[in-house]
Amino acid sequence: MEFRALPLVYFFIIKDARLESVATIKEYRGKGLIGHLIHYIQKDMLKKEVERLWVLPINEQVERVYQKSGFDTVLNVKTGHAFLGGKSVMDVRNGL
């Protein structure tokens, strides 16, 4: 199976790891690719003797994908936008 996924990021801290970001290109969504990728990462974490793999889903739909892969929700965190009332990164870069 050919994977059409955007780059993913994960971090190791002693016996914990965190899956930071993973997404599929729009035309490949809904085909189970993320599930296959998560399963691969889970197997790799077992080989590396990681005890806990943490994920931070960005919405309820993504949370359900992780739950299908065996993750349990242990905490819900409310987040906010990084630029409340300020300039965006692109505005700052463009000198606006």
Side-chain angles (χ1 to χ4, degrees):
M1 173 179 289
E2 180 181 355
F3 285 102
R4 294 284 182 162
L6 297 176
L8 59 93
V9 178
Y10 54 91
F11 302 94
F12 295 95
I13 302 173
I14 306 173
K15 292 289 182 176
D16 286 304
R18 184 176 78 205
L19 176 58
E20 183 69 25
S21 177
V22 63
T24 51
I25 298 169
K26 188 175 182 177
E27 56 267 18
Y28 291 93
R29 292 181 189 154
K31 301 184 185 308
L33 298 176
I34 293 295
H36 288 291
L37 187 57
I38 291 170
H39 181 70
Y40 174 84
I41 292 168
Q42 288 171 315
K43 287 172 51 177
D44 191 46
M45 295 298 104
L46 286 172
K47 289 178 192 173
K48 291 176 172 44
E49 299 181 359
V50 168
E51 293 177 6
R52 288 171 298 274
L53 176 60
W54 298 87
V55 295
L56 302 170
I58 60 172
N59 58 42
E60 290 179 2
Q61 181 180 358
V62 174
E63 182 178 6
R64 286 191 296 274
V65 171
Y66 289 128
Q67 288 171 339
K68 286 180 184 177
S69 296
F71 287 88
D72 294 319
T73 300
V74 295
L75 178 68
N76 286 312
V77 179
K78 184 176 179 162
T79 60
H81 193 274
F83 298 103
L84 296 175
K87 292 182 178 182
S88 72
V89 172
M90 292 306 294
D91 286 345
V92 172
R93 284 183 183 164
N94 293 327
L96 301 175

